[in-house]
Amino acid sequence: MPTTLTTDRPRATTLFRPAAAVLGHQERRVLSAIGCGLRDDEIAAELAVPEDTVAEHLARILVKLGLRDRAAAIVHAFDCGLVVPGRGPRPRSAGPASLTVAARAPGPGPVPKVRISLLGPVRAWRDGRLIDLGHLRQQAVLAALALGAGRSLSQQQLLDDVWGMEPPGTNVVPVYVYRLRKALHDGAGPRTVIERGRGLRGYQLVPGAVDVDVAHLRELVTGIGKATRAGEPLEVVRLCAQALKLFHGEPLAGLPGPLAELERLRLTERRIAIVRRKVEWQLRLGQDAEAIDELFALTAAHPLDEPLAAMLMRALYRDGRQAEALTVFERARRRLADDLGVPPSRMLRRARQMILRGDEAGLGLTPPAGAGIGTGP
């Protein structure tokens, strides 16, 4: 059974955290396998070690990187470059991952006519008109190509990403690619959005021809990190708001396949991290009402997320709503007991105790002037 470790510290953000600097060789291999979605028994078989050893490695990884649980480790494996969407483990010699399909090619050229949205149900527009992308498996092929960031994906990679352990009985990938080409093409000239890769192997989106919302999200996250380091709270809040507007429901909603499953988890974690970053700065700027509304919506969607519940408790207490803050604790305690059979973490219990004592400094409501919050979300 997969290992999960919950630490007492608040969940650390996973973006821009270098695994190579703190993990040993075997721990990097375990983290890479976790990022690829393997279970502990599968990792044990792959590395020829006992399953208990894998669990021990995972426990050390979570502690060293300050990660909350296995889900956060999966996100970190992608963000630090150990795993690339659609490509499995990343070779050591490879450069940093980059979702840059949406970026225009250098020099003069037409604005991309096709927009693809993955941060919700998969949708595409050509010249502002919604495109019929066919059934879900076909949409999943397009999503894999969009997440591939301009890299060539072989038919086997697409089969693994979209069908996993249940491949279709016939060679359907070329058929789906043909249909997608027809759907995405505007009928004016021979240019296609999906082309053959180098050596006519595999498929890829034509660089500069497609605008993908996930690429915009990554650019905004980079800007959030820069604004945070520069101590520009209003700019952080503005960029966070722009990033959150890109989401239109659950990322890759309803799409089948291992890749969609992993990316759905990673992008959901990214969204939560951005909301937390935005709320932290809103509270520091005195925008309590906006922060509380955001936190209520997010805790309703993620009722088992203890750091979010603790943040909502602190915000409500700061707004003079102590009774509501304690109600949030009780609701989280019951949900944890009913769904997971576990008590609240020390972090959540500590927030409750500090509210009862009126310990504003301990609740982090009076940060020192100019205090920053580290790297990007």
Side-chain angles (χ1 to χ4, degrees), residues 312-372:
L312 177 57
M313 290 169 64
R314 294 195 299 270
L316 287 169
Y317 179 79
R318 174 187 176 121
D319 201 41
R321 297 153 70 177
Q322 179 177 353
E324 287 183 69
L326 296 174
T327 298
V328 170
F329 174 85
E330 288 301 322
R331 185 168 60 239
R333 181 188 62 77
R334 288 195 300 269
R335 190 65 183 262
L336 289 165
D338 293 344
D339 290 11
L340 303 179
V342 298
S345 67
R346 188 170 71 89
M347 174 188 62
L348 205 58
R349 296 196 309 271
R350 185 167 175 264
R352 175 178 178 271
Q353 291 167 358
M354 288 182 175
I355 287 172
L356 291 172
R357 292 201 305 262
D359 184 356
E360 293 194 1
L363 285 165
L365 301 182
T366 54

Coordinates of all heavy atoms in Angstrom, one line a residue, residues 312-372:
L312 N -7.5 29.4 7.3 CA -8.9 30.0 7.4 C -9.1 30.3 8.9 O -9.7 31.4 9.2 CB -9.9 29.0 6.9 CG -11.4 29.5 7.0 CD1 -11.6 30.8 6.3 CD2 -12.3 28.4 6.4
M313 N -8.7 29.5 9.8 CA -8.9 29.8 11.2 C -8.2 31.1 11.6 O -8.8 31.9 12.3 CB -8.4 28.6 12.1 CG -9.3 27.3 12.0 SD -8.5 25.9 12.7 CE -8.4 26.4 14.4
R314 N -7.0 31.2 11.1 CA -6.2 32.4 11.5 C -6.9 33.7 10.9 O -6.9 34.7 11.6 CB -4.8 32.3 11.0 CG -4.0 31.2 11.7 CD -2.5 31.4 11.4 NE -2.1 31.3 10.0 CZ -1.8 30.1 9.4 NH1 -1.8 29.0 10.1 NH2 -1.5 30.1 8.1
A315 N -7.3 33.5 9.6 CA -8.0 34.7 9.0 C -9.3 35.1 9.7 O -9.5 36.3 9.9 CB -8.2 34.4 7.5
L316 N -10.1 34.1 10.1 CA -11.3 34.4 10.8 C -11.0 35.1 12.1 O -11.7 36.0 12.6 CB -12.2 33.2 10.9 CG -12.8 32.6 9.7 CD1 -13.4 31.2 9.9 CD2 -13.9 33.5 9.2
Y317 N -10.1 34.5 12.8 CA -9.7 35.1 14.1 C -9.3 36.6 14.0 O -9.7 37.4 14.8 CB -8.6 34.3 14.8 CG -8.2 34.8 16.2 CD1 -9.0 34.6 17.3 CD2 -7.1 35.6 16.3 CE1 -8.7 35.2 18.5 CE2 -6.7 36.2 17.5 CZ -7.5 35.9 18.7 OH -7.2 36.5 19.9
R318 N -8.4 36.8 13.0 CA -8.0 38.2 12.7 C -9.1 39.1 12.4 O -9.1 40.3 12.8 CB -7.0 38.1 11.5 CG -6.5 39.5 11.1 CD -5.7 39.4 9.8 NE -5.3 40.7 9.3 CZ -4.1 41.1 9.1 NH1 -3.1 40.2 9.4 NH2 -3.8 42.2 8.6
D319 N -10.2 38.6 11.8 CA -11.4 39.4 11.5 C -12.4 39.5 12.6 O -13.5 39.9 12.5 CB -12.1 38.8 10.2 CG -12.9 39.8 9.5 OD1 -12.5 40.9 9.4 OD2 -14.0 39.4 9.1
G320 N -12.0 39.0 13.8 CA -12.8 39.1 15.0 C -13.9 38.0 15.1 O -14.9 38.2 15.8
R321 N -13.7 36.9 14.3 CA -14.7 35.9 14.3 C -14.2 34.6 14.9 O -14.1 33.6 14.3 CB -15.1 35.7 12.8 CG -15.8 36.9 12.2 CD -15.6 37.0 10.7 NE -16.4 36.0 10.0 CZ -16.4 36.0 8.6 NH1 -15.8 36.9 7.9 NH2 -17.2 35.1 8.0
Q322 N -13.9 34.7 16.2 CA -13.3 33.6 16.9 C -14.2 32.3 16.9 O -13.7 31.2 16.7 CB -13.0 34.0 18.4 CG -12.4 32.9 19.2 CD -12.0 33.3 20.6 OE1 -12.1 34.5 20.9 NE2 -11.6 32.4 21.4
A323 N -15.5 32.5 17.1 CA -16.4 31.3 17.2 C -16.4 30.6 15.8 O -16.3 29.4 15.8 CB -17.8 31.8 17.5
E324 N -16.4 31.4 14.7 CA -16.3 30.7 13.4 C -15.0 30.0 13.2 O -15.0 28.9 12.6 CB -16.6 31.7 12.3 CG -18.0 32.3 12.2 CD -18.1 33.2 11.0 OE1 -18.0 32.8 9.9 OE2 -18.3 34.4 11.3
A325 N -13.9 30.6 13.7 CA -12.6 29.9 13.5 C -12.6 28.6 14.3 O -12.1 27.6 13.7 CB -11.5 30.9 14.1
L326 N -13.2 28.5 15.4 CA -13.2 27.3 16.2 C -14.2 26.3 15.5 O -13.9 25.1 15.6 CB -13.6 27.6 17.6 CG -12.6 28.4 18.4 CD1 -13.2 28.8 19.8 CD2 -11.3 27.7 18.6
T327 N -15.2 26.8 14.9 CA -16.1 25.9 14.2 C -15.4 25.2 13.0 O -15.6 24.1 12.7 CB -17.3 26.7 13.6 OG1 -18.0 27.2 14.7 CG2 -18.3 25.8 12.8
V328 N -14.5 26.0 12.3 CA -13.7 25.4 11.2 C -12.9 24.2 11.8 O -12.8 23.2 11.1 CB -12.8 26.5 10.6 CG1 -11.8 25.8 9.6 CG2 -13.7 27.5 9.9
F329 N -12.3 24.4 13.0 CA -11.5 23.3 13.6 C -12.4 22.1 13.8 O -12.0 21.0 13.5 CB -10.9 23.8 14.9 CG -10.2 22.7 15.6 CD1 -8.8 22.4 15.3 CD2 -10.8 22.0 16.6 CE1 -8.2 21.3 16.0 CE2 -10.2 20.9 17.3 CZ -8.9 20.6 16.9
E330 N -13.5 22.3 14.4 CA -14.4 21.2 14.7 C -14.8 20.4 13.4 O -14.9 19.2 13.4 CB -15.6 21.6 15.5 CG -15.3 22.0 16.9 CD -14.7 20.9 17.7 OE1 -15.1 19.7 17.5 OE2 -13.8 21.2 18.5
R331 N -15.2 21.2 12.4 CA -15.6 20.6 11.1 C -14.4 19.8 10.5 O -14.6 18.7 10.1 CB -16.0 21.7 10.2 CG -16.6 21.1 8.9 CD -17.3 22.2 8.1 NE -16.4 23.3 7.7 CZ -16.6 24.5 8.0 NH1 -17.7 24.9 8.8 NH2 -15.8 25.5 7.6
A332 N -13.2 20.3 10.6 CA -12.1 19.6 10.0 C -11.8 18.4 10.9 O -11.5 17.3 10.3 CB -10.8 20.5 10.0
R333 N -11.9 18.5 12.2 CA -11.7 17.3 13.1 C -12.6 16.2 12.8 O -12.2 15.0 12.7 CB -11.8 17.8 14.5 CG -11.5 16.6 15.6 CD -11.9 17.1 17.0 NE -13.3 17.4 17.1 CZ -14.2 16.5 17.2 NH1 -13.9 15.2 17.2 NH2 -15.5 16.8 17.4
R334 N -13.9 16.5 12.6 CA -14.9 15.5 12.3 C -14.6 14.8 11.0 O -14.7 13.6 10.8 CB -16.3 16.1 12.4 CG -16.8 16.4 13.8 CD -18.3 16.6 13.8 NE -18.7 17.7 12.9 CZ -18.8 19.0 13.3 NH1 -18.5 19.3 14.5 NH2 -19.2 19.9 12.4
R335 N -14.3 15.7 10.0 CA -14.1 15.1 8.6 C -12.9 14.2 8.6 O -12.9 13.1 8.0 CB -13.9 16.3 7.6 CG -13.9 15.9 6.2 CD -15.3 15.3 5.8 NE -15.2 14.9 4.4 CZ -15.7 15.6 3.4 NH1 -16.2 16.8 3.6 NH2 -15.7 15.1 2.2
L336 N -11.8 14.6 9.3 CA -10.6 13.8 9.4 C -10.9 12.4 10.0 O -10.4 11.4 9.6 CB -9.5 14.5 10.1 CG -8.8 15.7 9.4 CD1 -8.0 16.5 10.3 CD2 -8.0 15.2 8.2
A337 N -11.7 12.5 11.1 CA -12.0 11.3 11.8 C -12.9 10.4 11.0 O -12.7 9.1 10.9 CB -12.7 11.6 13.2
D338 N -13.9 11.0 10.3 CA -14.9 10.2 9.5 C -14.2 9.6 8.3 O -14.5 8.4 8.0 CB -16.1 11.0 9.1 CG -16.9 11.4 10.4 OD1 -16.7 10.8 11.4 OD2 -17.7 12.3 10.2
D339 N -13.4 10.4 7.6 CA -12.9 9.9 6.3 C -11.6 9.2 6.4 O -11.4 8.2 5.6 CB -12.7 11.1 5.4 CG -14.0 11.8 4.9 OD1 -15.1 11.4 5.5 OD2 -14.0 12.6 4.0
L340 N -10.7 9.6 7.3 CA -9.4 9.0 7.4 C -9.1 8.2 8.7 O -8.2 7.5 8.8 CB -8.3 10.1 7.2 CG -8.4 10.9 5.9 CD1 -7.3 11.9 5.9 CD2 -8.3 10.0 4.7
G341 N -10.0 8.5 9.7 CA -9.8 7.8 11.0 C -8.6 8.3 11.7 O -7.9 7.6 12.5
V342 N -8.2 9.6 11.5 CA -7.1 10.2 12.2 C -7.5 11.5 12.9 O -8.5 12.1 12.6 CB -5.9 10.5 11.2 CG1 -5.5 9.2 10.5 CG2 -6.4 11.5 10.2
P343 N -6.7 11.8 14.0 CA -7.0 13.1 14.7 C -6.4 14.3 13.9 O -5.6 14.1 13.0 CB -6.3 12.9 16.0 CG -5.2 12.0 15.7 CD -5.6 11.1 14.6
P344 N -6.7 15.5 14.2 CA -6.1 16.7 13.6 C -4.6 16.7 13.9 O -4.1 16.2 14.9 CB -6.7 17.9 14.3 CG -8.0 17.3 14.8 CD -7.8 15.9 15.2
S345 N -3.8 17.2 13.0 CA -2.4 17.3 13.1 C -2.0 18.3 14.2 O -2.8 19.1 14.6 CB -1.7 17.7 11.8 OG -2.1 19.1 11.5
R346 N -0.8 18.2 14.6 CA -0.3 19.2 15.7 C -0.5 20.6 15.2 O -0.8 21.5 16.0 CB 1.1 18.9 16.1 CG 1.6 19.7 17.3 CD 3.0 19.1 17.7 NE 4.0 19.5 16.8 CZ 4.7 20.6 16.9 NH1 4.5 21.5 17.8 NH2 5.7 20.9 16.0
M347 N -0.2 20.9 13.9 CA -0.4 22.2 13.4 C -1.8 22.7 13.6 O -2.0 23.9 14.0 CB 0.0 22.2 11.9 CG -0.2 23.5 11.2 SD 0.0 23.4 9.4 CE -1.3 22.2 9.0
L348 N -2.8 21.9 13.3 CA -4.2 22.4 13.4 C -4.5 22.6 14.9 O -5.2 23.5 15.3 CB -5.1 21.4 12.7 CG -6.4 21.9 12.2 CD1 -6.2 23.0 11.3 CD2 -7.2 20.8 11.6
R349 N -4.1 21.6 15.7 CA -4.4 21.7 17.2 C -3.7 23.0 17.8 O -4.3 23.7 18.6 CB -3.9 20.5 17.9 CG -4.6 19.2 17.5 CD -4.4 18.1 18.5 NE -3.0 17.9 18.8 CZ -2.2 17.1 18.2 NH1 -2.7 16.4 17.1 NH2 -0.9 16.9 18.5
R350 N -2.5 23.3 17.3 CA -1.8 24.4 17.8 C -2.5 25.7 17.4 O -2.6 26.7 18.2 CB -0.4 24.4 17.2 CG 0.5 25.5 17.7 CD 2.0 25.2 17.3 NE 2.9 26.3 17.7 CZ 3.2 27.3 16.9 NH1 2.8 27.4 15.7 NH2 4.0 28.3 17.3
A351 N -3.1 25.8 16.2 CA -3.8 27.0 15.8 C -5.0 27.2 16.7 O -5.3 28.3 17.1 CB -4.2 26.8 14.3
R352 N -5.7 26.1 17.0 CA -6.8 26.2 17.9 C -6.4 26.7 19.3 O -7.1 27.6 19.9 CB -7.5 24.8 18.0 CG -8.7 24.8 19.0 CD -9.3 23.4 19.1 NE -10.4 23.3 20.0 CZ -10.2 23.0 21.3 NH1 -9.0 22.7 21.8 NH2 -11.3 22.9 22.1
Q353 N -5.4 26.1 19.8 CA -4.9 26.6 21.1 C -4.5 28.0 21.2 O -4.8 28.8 22.1 CB -3.7 25.7 21.6 CG -4.1 24.3 21.9 CD -2.9 23.4 22.0 OE1 -1.7 23.8 21.8 NE2 -3.1 22.1 22.2
M354 N -3.9 28.5 20.1 CA -3.5 29.9 20.1 C -4.7 30.8 19.9 O -4.7 32.0 20.5 CB -2.5 30.1 18.9 CG -1.1 29.5 19.2 SD 0.1 29.8 17.9 CE 1.5 29.1 18.6
I355 N -5.7 30.4 19.2 CA -6.9 31.2 19.1 C -7.6 31.3 20.5 O -8.0 32.4 20.9 CB -7.9 30.6 18.1 CG1 -7.4 30.8 16.7 CG2 -9.3 31.1 18.2 CD1 -8.1 30.1 15.6
L356 N -7.6 30.2 21.2 CA -8.2 30.2 22.5 C -7.4 31.1 23.5 O -8.0 31.7 24.4 CB -8.3 28.8 23.1 CG -9.3 27.8 22.4 CD1 -9.1 26.4 22.9 CD2 -10.7 28.3 22.6
R357 N -6.1 31.2 23.3 CA -5.3 32.0 24.2 C -5.2 33.4 23.7 O -4.7 34.3 24.4 CB -3.9 31.4 24.2 CG -3.7 30.1 25.0 CD -2.3 29.9 25.4 NE -1.4 30.0 24.3 CZ -0.9 29.0 23.7 NH1 -1.2 27.7 24.0 NH2 0.0 29.1 22.7
G358 N -5.7 33.7 22.4 CA -5.5 35.0 21.9 C -4.1 35.4 21.5 O -3.7 36.6 21.6
D359 N -3.3 34.4 21.1 CA -1.9 34.6 20.8 C -1.7 35.0 19.3 O -1.5 34.2 18.5 CB -1.2 33.3 21.1 CG 0.3 33.4 20.9 OD1 0.8 34.5 20.5 OD2 1.1 32.4 21.1
E360 N -1.9 36.3 19.1 CA -1.8 36.8 17.7 C -0.4 36.6 17.1 O -0.3 36.3 15.9 CB -2.2 38.3 17.6 CG -3.7 38.5 18.0 CD -4.1 39.9 17.6 OE1 -3.3 40.7 17.1 OE2 -5.3 40.2 17.8
A361 N 0.6 36.8 17.9 CA 2.0 36.7 17.3 C 2.2 35.2 16.9 O 2.7 34.9 15.8 CB 3.0 37.1 18.4
G362 N 1.8 34.3 17.7 CA 1.9 32.9 17.4 C 1.1 32.4 16.2 O 1.5 31.5 15.5
L363 N 0.0 33.1 16.0 CA -0.8 32.8 14.8 C -0.3 33.4 13.5 O -0.9 33.2 12.4 CB -2.3 33.3 15.0 CG -3.1 32.5 16.0 CD1 -4.3 33.2 16.4 CD2 -3.5 31.1 15.4
G364 N 0.8 34.2 13.6 CA 1.4 34.7 12.4 C 0.6 35.9 11.9 O 0.7 36.2 10.7
L365 N -0.1 36.6 12.8 CA -0.9 37.8 12.3 C -0.2 39.1 12.4 O -0.7 40.1 11.9 CB -2.2 37.8 13.1 CG -3.1 36.6 13.1 CD1 -4.3 36.8 13.9 CD2 -3.4 36.2 11.6
T366 N 1.0 39.1 13.0 CA 1.8 40.3 13.1 C 3.2 40.1 12.6 O 4.1 40.0 13.4 CB 1.8 40.8 14.5 OG1 2.3 39.7 15.4 CG2 0.4 41.2 15.0
P367 N 3.4 39.8 11.3 CA 4.7 39.5 10.8 C 5.6 40.7 10.8 O 5.1 41.9 10.8 CB 4.5 39.1 9.3 CG 3.2 39.8 9.0 CD 2.4 39.9 10.2
P368 N 6.9 40.5 10.9 CA 7.8 41.7 10.9 C 7.8 42.4 9.6 O 7.5 41.8 8.6 CB 9.2 41.0 11.1 CG 9.0 39.6 10.7 CD 7.6 39.2 11.0
A369 N 8.1 43.7 9.6 CA 8.0 44.5 8.4 C 9.0 44.0 7.4 O 10.1 43.6 7.7 CB 8.4 45.9 8.8
G370 N 8.4 43.9 6.1 CA 9.3 43.4 5.0 C 9.5 41.9 5.0 O 10.3 41.4 4.2
A371 N 8.8 41.2 5.8 CA 9.0 39.7 5.9 C 8.5 39.1 4.5 O 7.5 39.5 4.0 CB 8.2 39.1 7.0
G372 N 9.3 38.2 4.0 CA 8.9 37.6 2.8 C 8.4 36.1 3.0 O 8.4 35.7 4.2

